[in-house]
Amino acid sequence: MSDWVQTGIGKAEADAIIIRGRDLSSELMGKVTFTELAFLLVQGRDPSPGETALLDAVLVSLADHGLTPTALAARLTLTGAPESLQGAVAAGLLGAGTVFLGVVEDTAAFLEPVVAAAGPDPDDERLAAATRAAVEARRAEGGRIPGLGHPVHKQVDPRTPRMYEIAEEHGVLGPHLRALRMVADVHQELTGRALPINGAGVGGAALADLGFSSRIVRGFALLARSAGLVAHLAEEMERPLGMPLFLEVDRRVELD
Amino acid sequence: MSDWVQTGIGKAEADAIIIRGRDLSSELMGKVTFTELAFLLVQGRDPSPGETALLDAVLVSLADHGLTPTALAARLTLTGAPESLQGAVAAGLLGAGTVFLGVVEDTAAFLEPVVAAAGPDPDDERLAAATRAAVEARRAEGGRIPGLGHPVHKQVDPRTPRMYEIAEEHGVLGPHLRALRMVADVHQELTGRALPINGAGVGGAALADLGFSSRIVRGFALLARSAGLVAHLAEEMERPLGMPLFLEVDRRVELD
Amino acid sequence: MSDWVQTGIGKAEADAIIIRGRDLSSELMGKVTFTELAFLLVQGRDPSPGETALLDAVLVSLADHGLTPTALAARLTLTGAPESLQGAVAAGLLGAGTVFLGVVEDTAAFLEPVVAAAGPDPDDERLAAATRAAVEARRAEGGRIPGLGHPVHKQVDPRTPRMYEIAEEHGVLGPHLRALRMVADVHQELTGRALPINGAGVGGAALADLGFSSRIVRGFALLARSAGLVAHLAEEMERPLGMPLFLEVDRRVELD
Amino acid sequence: MSDWVQTGIGKAEADAIIIRGRDLSSELMGKVTFTELAFLLVQGRDPSPGETALLDAVLVSLADHGLTPTALAARLTLTGAPESLQGAVAAGLLGAGTVFLGVVEDTAAFLEPVVAAAGPDPDDERLAAATRAAVEARRAEGGRIPGLGHPVHKQVDPRTPRMYEIAEEHGVLGPHLRALRMVADVHQELTGRALPINGAGVGGAALADLGFSSRIVRGFALLARSAGLVAHLAEEMERPLGMPLFLEVDRRVELD
C-alpha cells in the first residue's frame, strides 16, 4: 500500500496544512485569490497575472445562466431535503453533463491535437494548416465540429469577442484560442455557413491555452457552476420555487 | 404559474446573459474576479475590496486538505465512472456534511443571534455581554460551543490568527469574528480549558461578517471544496489511487 | 489496517461471490427474491415468508407517487446529462430527505424506545402505557408526534389500513405497528383531533417490526424510490418532460 | 404547459395513489412483490411468473459484490455526512458507471440489433447468422465484443450457467440470451480464444429478453446496487470502516 499513496496536492499535518508545497496559512491565505489557488491546485504552479485574468473570465462566463434545468433540479432537491445543502448542490452539478457543458470539453479535445500537430510556438500558417486538416478530417468522418453555433445567439455569442479581447489585453492569447477562430473560418469556407463561436467553446479553448488537459476542463465548468448553484439555493431558502413548480406540474399533469 | 417564477439572480436572453442586472459579457467578464462574482451572485451587490480579500481568504482556507475521506470518495467514484466527471465531483461534495464542514455553519448559526442581541455597531462591552449570555445558555442546556478545539491543532489552528490578521488589515473585522474571540475567552474562563478557535469556525464567523446567512455559509465551503476535488480528479486521471486502494482493501478484507 | 477491514456482507472471490456466507450463484440466484435478498443483505438472516410479505408491501407502498419533486429533479438532470443514468437516479435520491421520507425514519425512531420500554413480548396494557408516556413526554417538550396526519388524506391514508391488514394476515403484526395505532388513539384523546396514521409512518413502523434500526429504515425508502426513478427516467427517454418544463419556466420567468 | 405534462407512471390523488392505472393500496400492496412492481412501473404491464423469476435472478446477481470501490465511496461519504443517508447511497451509485456496470448496457445494446435483424421468433439458424454478422462487423471496425471475459473468472463466471438454467426452467429463455451464447461461440471460432460470458453480460441479455430497452437496463443494475449500498451503510453505522480507511491512507501518504 505504501508506494501508491502518493499525491502532489497536499496534506494536513500536525502543525500545518500543506498545498502544493506551500504552507496554507502563511503562504497562501491573504496572498492568492481563490482563482489563483484553483490554478495552483490543479497545475502545481502559480499562474501569471494574465493567466489569472483569463481563468477568472472563463469562470465568470460559465458560473450562471439563470433558471437552467440544473438550477431547477438543485432547487427541487432542496425542497425535499432542506437539511442537506451539499445534496442540492450535488444534484445541480449532476446535470452539468454532455448537453450543457460537454462543448467545453469537446472543443478543448478537438483543439488539443491540432495545436500539438502545429508544433511548438506555431505561426499562423502552420496553425491554420493543422486546423484545416482537422476540420476536414472530422467532416470526412461525418462528425460535428464542436464550439460553433448557438440556439439563441445566431450571429455572435457576446462572450466570445469579449474572451478574445481579455486574452489579448493580458497577453495570453494562445494557440488553442487562435486555432478556434480558424476553425470557424474554415468551417464557413467549407460549408458556406457562418456559425459563431459559442461561449462554451471559447471557454474550452481558453482553458486549454491555460495548460489544462481536455479531460479536466469540464472540472472548471463545474467549479464555476457551484457558485451559481449556491446563489440559487440561497434564493430558494428565502423564496421557494421548487414547491410551487411541483404544485403547478401536479395541477396540470394528465395520466395516459 | 406566473407570479412565482421570479428570480433576482439572472437570465439568459436572446442577445445577452444577465446576472444580477449586469450584462455578463460587457459588465462582468474581465471586470470582476470569480470570487467577486460569487459574492455578487449570492448577495446581489458588489463586495468592497476588503470583503473580497476576506472571502478569498476563506475560500482558500477551505479548498483542500489533502487525501480526506471526501477526496477518496471522489477518486473511487471516478474509478467506476470515468465518463462522468460531474458524478465524481458530486460524490466528493456529498461527504462535505456535518462532520467536516458542519462547524462552519454551526459557528455562524451560534454567532448570528449573539450579534443580533448586541445591537447595531456594538462596542466590545455589549458584544461581550451578549457572547457570555449565549455561551452560558448553551452550556446550561448541555450543548456544545461550536468553532473551538481541533483534533490535531491543540494549541492554535494556524489559519485562525491569519484570518484575523487579514480581516484587520483590510478593515473588515466584523462583530461575528470579534464575538468568536470572546467565545473562546469566556469558554476558557468557565471551563479552565483553553481551546483554540479552529479554521472551520473562523471561516464561519468570517462568512457571517460578510453578510451571509448561517443557512448558506456551508455553500461557500462546498464551492471551495469543488476546487480541491477538481485537482484530486485531475491527479487521479494521471496517477490513479482509487483502484490500488480498492485492491489493497480487497486483499486484506476478512469476512466475519 | 488488517483488523478493521472486516465485513459480514460479502466478497467477490476467485471462483465465487459470497453474500452473507452463501454462494451467490448456487444458493441465492433462483432461490430468493430481490426483496428477500435485501433483507438478508442488511440483517444477515433470511426473512420468514410473513416478513417478506410485509417488506414487499412497504417497498411497494413507497416506490412511486408520480411526478414528485424528486422525479422532476431526476428528469431535469437527465436533460443535461443523458450519458449518466446513475447521475439522474442519484439526483432523484438526493431529494428523498427529511421532508418527504423523514417521517419513515422519525416514526421508527419514536417507536423504538417505546417498544424497548414495554419490555419483551409486551401485552396491550404494557405497550399502551409506554406509548402514552412517550406521547405525553414528546408533547410536554413541545415536539411533534411523527407519523400522523397527511396534507391530502384528512380522514384516512388508504395505505395504512392495508398495511395492518397485510401484517395481520401474515402473522407479523409486531409491537411497533401496534404501538403506532395506540399513538394515534392517545393523540386523539389528548388533543381532541383525530389524525390518520400516514403511509410513511406505517412504513416506518413496519420496518421497525421487521427488525431494522430506525437509523437505516430510510434506506429502504431509498431502495423503493430507486425503482420509481428508473421508471421515470425510462419514460423521460421516450417522452421528455425536462426540456419542456425548463422552457415553460424560462418563458415565464421574471427578473426582479 | 398542458399537453406535455403527461405521464403513464402514476399520480397521487386526493384519495388514492395510482400506479400504472392501479390503485396502490387495494390493487398492488399485498398483491405484487417489489420486483413485480419494478417491472410494472417501467413496462406498464405485469410480468409473467417466469419473467418475475428471471428479473429477480438478475437483481440478485447484481446487488452486491462486497467492498467494491462504490461501497467504499458510499461508506467514506457517510463518514463526513452521517446526517444524509441519501447522500451516501447517491455517492455509491455515482460510481456505478461504465467500468463496473457498463457491460450490462453494452451487451444489451450489442444484442438489440442482432435480435431485430433475426426477425420475429427467430430459429437458431437465423439468430446465428445475425449474430455472426454482428460479431464480424464489430471486429472489422476494431471494436470490443461486450459481455465476454472476466479478470477473475477465466474459465466460467458461475452466474452465467445459473442464469441460463433459471431462464430455461421458467420458459423465458429469449433470443438475447440465446444470441449471447452464440456470440461466445463465434468469438471463439474467430479468435481461437474461449472467453466465458460474464455475469454483467448475461444480466444485460436477460434484461433485454425481459423487454427492457438497452438504454434503461443499467437502471436495474442501479436498483440492485441500492440494496447492497443500504447493507453497507447499515454495517458502517455499527462498525465504521470509512474513518480507519482514511486514517490508514493518511498515515501512509507521501507528498511528492
Side-chain angles (χ1 to χ4, degrees):
Chain A
M1 184 157 172
S2 43
D3 57 334
W4 55 264
V5 192
Q6 210 159 337
T7 179
I9 295 175
K11 186 171 182 348
E13 299 186 337
D15 50 353
I17 294 162
I18 304 299
I19 292 184
R20 291 291 181 190
R22 320 281 174 84
D23 178 71
L24 172 60
S25 304
S26 63
E27 298 183 87
L28 295 172
M29 285 173 65
K31 302 210 168 143
V32 301
T33 68
F34 180 50
T35 300
E36 288 169 328
L37 186 80
F39 188 105
L40 172 65
L41 270 166
V42 179
Q43 290 221 17
R45 70 164 176 88
D46 286 312
S48 71
E51 287 173 325
T52 301
L54 188 59
L55 182 53
D56 266 319
V58 172
L59 292 172
V60 165
S61 78
L62 295 171
D64 198 73
H65 298 162
L67 290 172
T68 54
T70 58
L72 295 175
R75 284 169 174 258
L76 285 159
T77 300
L78 196 74
T79 303
E83 78 282 7
S84 172
L85 188 60
Q86 73 269 22
V89 172
L93 291 182
L94 288 171
T98 51
V99 174
F100 298 133
L101 296 179
V103 174
V104 178
E105 181 171 330
D106 294 346
T107 306
F110 182 78
L111 296 173
E112 231 167 31
V114 168
V115 170
D121 236 331
D123 59 21
D124 277 358
E125 205 175 328
R126 271 189 295 138
L127 197 57
T131 302
R132 173 176 297 271
V135 172
E136 285 174 346
R138 177 64 62 98
R139 280 173 48 84
E141 64 196 23
R144 261 186 81 109
I145 310 297
L148 303 184
H150 196 278
V152 165
H153 308 299
K154 305 281 186 194
Q155 305 295 320
V156 64
D157 184 324
R159 289 175 292 172
T160 300
R162 187 70 186 110
M163 192 75 80
Y164 279 98
E165 205 173 77
I166 292 165
E168 276 178 61
E169 193 183 312
H170 290 87
V172 289
L173 181 65
H176 298 84
L177 279 170
R178 285 165 55 211
L180 181 57
R181 240 172 352 203
M182 296 169 179
V183 167
D185 291 345
V186 173
H187 183 269
Q188 176 169 10
E189 187 193 314
L190 295 176
T191 66
R193 288 174 64 210
L195 288 182
I197 298 169
N198 56 45
V202 83
L207 289 165
D209 271 343
L210 288 167
F212 298 110
S213 151
S214 66
R215 296 202 297 161
I216 201 62
V217 295
R218 200 138 54 90
F220 287 91
L222 295 167
L223 171 58
R225 280 295 158 97
S226 297
L229 289 168
V230 172
H232 281 283
L233 294 168
E235 189 178 79
E236 182 71 16
M237 288 172 180
E238 303 299 325
R239 188 164 61 168
L241 192 148
M243 188 52 86
L245 177 59
F246 157 64
L247 291 173
E248 179 72 12
V249 168
D250 192 55
R251 199 171 65 77
R252 289 176 183 249
V253 68
E254 281 172 29
L255 280 182
D256 289 348
Chain B
M1 184 159 171
S2 44
D3 56 336
W4 54 265
V5 192
Q6 210 158 336
T7 179
I9 295 173
K11 186 170 184 346
E13 298 186 340
D15 49 354
I17 293 163
I18 305 299
I19 291 185
R20 292 288 182 191
R22 320 281 175 83
D23 178 71
L24 172 60
S25 304
S26 63
E27 299 183 87
L28 294 172
M29 285 172 67
K31 302 212 168 142
V32 300
T33 67
F34 180 50
T35 300
E36 288 168 329
L37 185 81
F39 187 104
L40 172 65
L41 270 166
V42 179
Q43 290 220 19
R45 69 164 177 88
D46 286 314
S48 71
E51 288 173 326
T52 301
L54 188 58
L55 182 52
D56 265 318
V58 171
L59 292 171
V60 165
S61 77
L62 295 171
D64 198 72
H65 298 162
L67 289 173
T68 55
T70 58
L72 295 175
R75 284 169 174 256
L76 285 159
T77 301
L78 196 75
T79 303
E83 78 282 8
S84 172
L85 189 59
Q86 73 268 22
V89 172
L93 291 182
L94 288 171
T98 51
V99 174
F100 298 133
L101 296 179
V103 175
V104 179
E105 180 172 332
D106 294 345
T107 306
F110 182 77
L111 296 173
E112 230 166 33
V114 168
V115 171
D121 236 332
D123 58 22
D124 277 359
E125 205 176 329
R126 270 189 296 139
L127 197 56
T131 301
R132 173 175 296 270
V135 172
E136 286 174 346
R138 176 65 63 97
R139 280 173 48 84
E141 64 196 23
R144 259 186 82 111
I145 311 297
L148 303 184
H150 195 279
V152 165
H153 308 300
K154 305 280 186 196
Q155 305 294 319
V156 65
D157 185 325
R159 290 174 292 171
T160 300
R162 186 71 186 110
M163 192 75 79
Y164 278 98
E165 205 172 77
I166 292 165
E168 275 178 62
E169 193 183 312
H170 290 87
V172 289
L173 180 66
H176 298 85
L177 278 170
R178 285 165 55 211
L180 182 56
R181 237 170 358 201
M182 295 169 180
V183 167
D185 291 345
V186 173
H187 183 269
Q188 176 169 9
E189 187 194 314
L190 295 177
T191 66
R193 289 174 62 211
L195 289 181
I197 298 170
N198 56 45
V202 82
L207 289 165
D209 272 344
L210 289 168
F212 298 109
S213 153
S214 65
R215 296 203 296 162
I216 200 63
V217 294
R218 201 138 54 89
F220 287 90
L222 296 166
L223 171 58
R225 280 294 158 98
S226 299
L229 289 167
V230 172
H232 281 283
L233 295 166
E235 189 178 77
E236 182 71 16
M237 289 170 178
E238 302 301 324
R239 186 164 60 169
L241 191 147
M243 189 52 88
L245 177 59
F246 158 65
L247 291 173
E248 178 73 12
V249 168
D250 192 54
R251 198 170 66 78
R252 290 177 184 248
V253 68
E254 282 173 29
L255 280 182
D256 291 346
Chain C
M1 184 159 169
S2 43
D3 57 335
W4 55 265
V5 191
Q6 209 157 337
T7 178
I9 296 174
K11 186 169 183 348
E13 298 185 340
D15 50 353
I17 293 163
I18 305 298
I19 292 185
R20 292 289 182 192
R22 321 280 175 83
D23 178 71
L24 172 60
S25 304
S26 64
E27 299 182 86
L28 295 171
M29 285 173 65
K31 302 210 167 143
V32 301
T33 68
F34 180 50
T35 300
E36 289 169 327
L37 184 81
F39 188 105
L40 172 65
L41 270 167
V42 179
Q43 290 220 19
R45 70 165 176 88
D46 286 314
S48 72
E51 287 173 325
T52 301
L54 188 58
L55 182 53
D56 265 319
V58 172
L59 291 171
V60 166
S61 77
L62 295 171
D64 198 72
H65 298 162
L67 290 173
T68 54
T70 57
L72 295 174
R75 285 169 173 257
L76 286 158
T77 301
L78 196 75
T79 304
E83 77 282 8
S84 172
L85 189 60
Q86 73 269 24
V89 172
L93 291 182
L94 287 171
T98 51
V99 173
F100 298 133
L101 296 180
V103 175
V104 179
E105 181 173 332
D106 293 346
T107 306
F110 182 77
L111 296 173
E112 230 167 32
V114 168
V115 170
D121 238 330
D123 59 20
D124 278 358
E125 204 176 330
R126 270 190 295 138
L127 197 56
T131 302
R132 173 176 296 270
V135 172
E136 286 175 346
R138 177 65 63 98
R139 280 172 48 83
E141 63 195 25
R144 261 187 80 110
I145 310 296
L148 303 184
H150 195 279
V152 165
H153 308 300
K154 305 281 186 195
Q155 305 295 319
V156 65
D157 184 325
R159 289 175 291 170
T160 300
R162 186 72 186 109
M163 192 75 79
Y164 278 98
E165 206 173 76
I166 292 164
E168 274 178 62
E169 194 182 312
H170 291 87
V172 289
L173 180 65
H176 298 85
L177 278 169
R178 285 165 56 212
L180 182 56
R181 234 165 7 196
M182 295 169 180
V183 167
D185 291 344
V186 174
H187 183 269
Q188 175 168 11
E189 187 193 314
L190 295 176
T191 66
R193 290 173 63 210
L195 289 181
I197 297 170
N198 56 46
V202 83
L207 289 165
D209 271 344
L210 288 167
F212 299 109
S213 153
S214 65
R215 296 202 296 162
I216 200 63
V217 294
R218 201 138 54 89
F220 287 90
L222 295 167
L223 171 59
R225 280 294 158 97
S226 299
L229 289 167
V230 172
H232 281 283
L233 294 167
E235 189 179 78
E236 182 72 16
M237 289 170 179
E238 302 300 325
R239 186 164 61 169
L241 192 147
M243 188 52 88
L245 177 59
F246 157 64
L247 292 173
E248 178 72 12
V249 168
D250 192 55
R251 199 172 65 77
R252 290 176 182 249
V253 68
E254 281 173 29
L255 280 182
D256 291 345
Chain D
M1 183 157 172
S2 43
D3 57 336
W4 55 266
V5 191
Q6 211 159 335
T7 178
I9 296 174
K11 187 170 182 347
E13 298 185 337
D15 51 353
I17 293 162
I18 305 300
I19 292 184
R20 291 290 181 191
R22 320 280 174 84
D23 177 71
L24 173 60
S25 304
S26 64
E27 298 182 88
L28 295 171
M29 285 172 65
K31 303 209 166 144
V32 301
T33 67
F34 180 50
T35 300
E36 289 168 328
L37 185 80
F39 188 105
L40 172 65
L41 271 166
V42 179
Q43 290 220 21
R45 71 164 176 88
D46 285 313
S48 72
E51 287 172 325
T52 300
L54 188 58
L55 182 52
D56 265 319
V58 172
L59 292 171
V60 165
S61 77
L62 295 171
D64 198 72
H65 298 162
L67 290 173
T68 54
T70 58
L72 295 175
R75 284 168 173 257
L76 286 159
T77 301
L78 197 73
T79 303
E83 78 282 8
S84 172
L85 189 60
Q86 74 268 23
V89 173
L93 291 182
L94 288 170
T98 50
V99 174
F100 298 133
L101 296 179
V103 174
V104 179
E105 180 172 332
D106 293 347
T107 306
F110 182 78
L111 297 172
E112 231 167 33
V114 168
V115 171
D121 237 330
D123 59 21
D124 278 358
E125 204 177 329
R126 271 189 296 138
L127 197 57
T131 301
R132 174 176 296 271
V135 172
E136 286 174 346
R138 176 65 62 96
R139 280 173 48 83
E141 64 196 23
R144 260 186 81 109
I145 311 296
L148 302 184
H150 195 279
V152 165
H153 308 299
K154 306 279 184 196
Q155 305 296 319
V156 65
D157 184 324
R159 290 175 291 172
T160 300
R162 186 72 186 109
M163 191 76 79
Y164 278 97
E165 205 173 76
I166 292 165
E168 275 178 64
E169 193 182 313
H170 291 87
V172 289
L173 181 65
H176 298 85
L177 279 170
R178 286 166 54 213
L180 181 57
R181 236 167 3 198
M182 296 169 179
V183 167
D185 292 343
V186 173
H187 183 269
Q188 176 170 11
E189 187 193 315
L190 295 177
T191 66
R193 289 172 63 210
L195 289 182
I197 298 171
N198 56 46
V202 83
L207 289 165
D209 272 344
L210 289 168
F212 298 109
S213 152
S214 65
R215 296 202 297 162
I216 200 63
V217 294
R218 199 138 54 89
F220 286 91
L222 295 167
L223 171 58
R225 281 294 159 99
S226 298
L229 289 168
V230 172
H232 281 284
L233 294 167
E235 189 178 76
E236 181 72 16
M237 289 172 181
E238 303 300 324
R239 188 164 59 168
L241 193 147
M243 188 52 87
L245 177 58
F246 157 64
L247 291 173
E248 179 73 11
V249 168
D250 192 55
R251 199 171 66 77
R252 289 176 184 249
V253 68
E254 281 173 30
L255 280 182
D256 289 346

